[in-house]
């Protein structure tokens, strides 16, 4: 492990604040992919309850991740000229699509039943992630120095804390987490921003 990796590990272990926003976003992407794989594996093993737990974990993480990107990453890109604005708009559109797909699953309570929709959602999400990493984050890397990216990374982590790690409503037999997540995603951005600024600065 390099010193930088170790620093990163330590920082994430304590919910740290000094990591590059690029690394934080990528790490979330990996986690999302991981949760999806666990969901699929649980289904394959015939464990519907475990699958639903992984589904809930996935939904909540995608929600926290999206909110934070919309609060920190995309506004930052908007300061980077037309290209930044265009990419931010495209990413917000992608998020909107994913949110609609989540809404379609709101009334489902069986992990197996939601599998086709979940697969479709993941396909969509992987496309978005590919674009976000190769275009959005590449632009940020080109335009912003490491110091400022670390500050943005701290703000990104703080943005994620608007949504608690787990909603109280997370119970295995009912995917009410979708409802909670959609509720959060439906909160107007200016209201979220107000909540956000009432947090102590990291
Ligand atoms: Fe995104
Ligand atoms: Fe993302």
């Amino acid at each position: 492990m390099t010193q930088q990796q170790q620093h990163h590990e330590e920082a994430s272990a304590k919910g740290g604040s000094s990591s590059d926003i690029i690394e934080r976003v990528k790490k979330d992407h990996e986690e999302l992919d991981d949760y999806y794989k666990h969901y699929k594996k649980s289904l394959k093993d015939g464990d519907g309850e475990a699958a639903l737990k992984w589904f809930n974990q996935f939904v909540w993480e995608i929600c926290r991740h999206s909110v934070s990107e919309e609060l920190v990453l995309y506004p930052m890109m908007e300061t980077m000229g037309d290209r930044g604005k265009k990419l931010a708009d495209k990413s917000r559109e992608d998020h909107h699509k994913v949110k609609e797909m989540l809404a379609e699953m709101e009334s489902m309570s069986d992990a197996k039943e939601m599998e086709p929709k979940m697969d479709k959602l993941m396909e969509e999400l992987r496309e978005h992630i590919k674009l976000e990493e190769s275009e959005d984050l590449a632009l940020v890397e080109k335009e912003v120095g490491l110091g400022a990216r670390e500050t943005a990374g701290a703000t990104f982590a703080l943005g994620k804390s608007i949504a608690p790690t787990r909603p109280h409503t997370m119970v295995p037999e009912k995917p009410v987490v979708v409802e909670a997540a959609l509720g959060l995603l439906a909160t107007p951005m200016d209201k979220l921003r107000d909540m956000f600024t009432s947090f102590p600065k990291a």
Side-chain angles (χ1 to χ4, degrees):
M1 193 183 277
T2 65
Q3 213 180 352
Q4 200 194 358
Q5 275 170 331
Q6 196 178 354
H7 175 72
H8 181 76
E9 288 291 324
E10 282 167 8
S12 11
K14 49 180 180 196
S17 57
S18 59
S19 300
D20 186 345
I21 188 167
I22 295 177
E23 296 312 314
R24 283 192 185 269
V25 168
K26 285 185 178 169
K27 190 167 169 279
D28 280 3
H29 292 166
E30 278 169 27
E31 266 175 33
L32 283 166
D33 212 76
D34 213 42
Y35 297 156
Y36 172 73
K37 283 180 187 147
H38 280 292
Y39 162 82
K40 292 292 279 184
K41 168 94 174 44
S42 303
L43 280 184
K44 212 172 147 211
D45 295 344
D47 189 346
E49 198 178 307
L52 201 52
K53 279 184 188 164
W54 285 113
F55 171 79
N56 283 341
Q57 182 79 23
F58 174 89
V59 170
W60 200 243
E61 184 56 30
I62 204 176
C63 166
R64 300 168 76 218
H65 178 78
S66 302
V67 162
S68 212
E69 282 184 342
E70 287 175 29
L71 276 171
V72 184
L73 180 65
Y74 303 155
M76 187 161 106
M77 284 159 56
E78 273 175 345
T79 66
M80 298 170 193
D82 282 351
R83 185 162 161 68
K85 277 196 195 97
K86 238 177 151 174
L87 286 172
D89 280 346
K90 164 76 175 116
S91 277
R92 283 199 197 92
E93 248 173 61
D94 287 355
H95 282 202
H96 184 72
K97 231 186 272 174
V98 168
K99 192 175 128 185
E100 281 183 342
M101 293 175 124
L102 276 175
E104 284 176 20
M105 285 186 268
E106 201 176 358
S107 59
M108 296 181 178
S109 55
D110 181 78
K112 186 77 194 157
E113 182 197 349
M114 52 178 76
E115 192 179 15
K117 288 197 190 291
M118 183 63 172
D119 289 346
K120 187 103 202 353
L121 188 154
M122 199 57 205
E123 213 178 284
E124 201 61 55
L125 184 67
R126 279 179 173 150
E127 274 303 306
H128 169 65
I129 284 175
K130 210 164 90 186
L131 200 77
E132 197 161 73
E133 292 190 358
S134 65
E135 304 281 337
D136 299 20
L137 296 183
L139 181 72
V140 170
E141 189 169 14
K142 196 172 130 243
E143 298 280 331
V144 187
L146 182 62
R149 293 202 317 255
E150 286 189 340
T151 306
T155 318
F156 182 81
L158 201 61
K160 282 183 76 180
S161 68
I162 282 177
T165 313
R166 280 153 192 273
H168 299 303
T169 46
M170 194 185 283
V171 287
E173 61 279 2
K174 215 176 157 230
V176 280
V177 67
V178 177
E179 212 179 299
L182 287 172
L184 183 70
L185 292 177
T187 310
M189 267 298 142
D190 52 349
K191 200 171 158 218
L192 283 178
R193 236 170 258 129
D194 287 350
M195 283 165 70
F196 183 56
T197 46
S198 69
F199 275 82
K201 288 275 173 285

